[in-house]
Amino acid sequence: MVLFIYKNAFATNFKISKNNVKQIVADGRARWKIENENNNILKNRRYHLAHNFGHGKKYLSQLMMTLNLLTFLFHTVLEMMDKKYKLIRRNLPTRKTFFDDIRALTRYLYFENWDAMLIFMLHGLELKVPDTS
C-alpha cells in the first residue's frame, strides 16, 4: 500500500497555532469548495462551455460564452429573488429535472408568461403558491 501525504503552502498573515489551525484549514477548504463549485457549474451543468468554444470563424465562441454567463447570472438572480422558482427548485431533485420539465411543458403547452408557467408547475407538484404581492 502506498501512502500519499498531501503538502501545500498558503500565504497568510494569520498567526497559526494549535488552537486555530483546524479553523484556518476549514476556512481554506470552504473557499476552495466555493470557487471549485462555481467553475464546475459553468463547466458541467449544461452550460456547454467547452463545446461552444471553437465554433464559428470569428466571434461565435465569445457570443456563446456571453450567453452562457448571462444564463448563469439569470439563474442566480431567480434563485435569489423569485419565490416560486425557489420553491419549485427546492422540491425537484436536480436542476436537470427542473429544466427537463420546462422543456417538456413548453414543447406541448403555451404559457402567457413565466409566472403562469411557474404557477402551473406549483399546482402540478401540489405545492402552495407563495404570496408574492
Side-chain angles (χ1 to χ4, degrees):
M1 180 168 118
V2 178
L3 179 64
F4 294 98
I5 297 175
Y6 174 77
K7 291 185 179 183
N8 206 337
F10 300 94
T12 181
N13 60 356
F14 292 121
K15 186 168 182 128
I16 300 173
S17 69
K18 287 182 179 181
N19 297 330
N20 67 2
V21 71
K22 220 174 187 178
Q23 185 62 48
I24 291 172
V25 169
D27 292 347
R29 286 183 178 158
R31 180 175 177 189
W32 172 86
K33 182 178 184 286
I34 291 166
E35 291 172 358
N36 192 45
E37 285 176 353
N38 182 52
N39 293 335
N40 281 339
I41 285 172
L42 290 173
K43 181 178 162 193
N44 299 325
R45 298 277 177 97
R46 299 180 143 311
Y47 291 93
H48 302 294
L49 295 183
H51 175 75
N52 289 330
F53 281 99
H55 288 285
K57 294 184 180 184
K58 208 166 187 183
Y59 298 111
L60 183 60
S61 61
Q62 288 93 337
L63 172 65
M64 299 307 264
M65 176 63 180
T66 301
L67 291 174
N68 276 304
L69 289 174
L70 286 172
T71 303
F72 183 66
L73 174 64
F74 187 68
H75 294 169
T76 303
V77 170
L78 281 172
E79 188 68 40
M80 292 170 37
M81 306 298 289
D82 191 321
K83 290 179 182 178
K84 293 175 189 128
Y85 175 87
K86 191 185 293 191
L87 181 60
I88 291 168
R89 287 280 296 114
R90 221 177 329 165
N91 283 275
L92 291 176
T94 64
R95 182 183 295 257
K96 182 181 182 319
T97 302
F98 175 75
F99 288 107
D100 286 345
D101 288 358
I102 286 181
R103 251 189 306 284
L105 288 172
T106 56
R107 172 173 271 174
Y108 301 108
L109 301 170
Y110 169 78
F111 298 96
E112 281 193 35
N113 54 45
W114 174 257
D115 203 51
M117 184 181 66
L118 292 181
I119 290 170
F120 181 88
M121 292 176 79
L122 287 165
H123 288 304
L125 292 168
E126 298 178 349
L127 297 171
K128 183 177 182 242
V129 178
D131 180 25
T132 56
S133 56

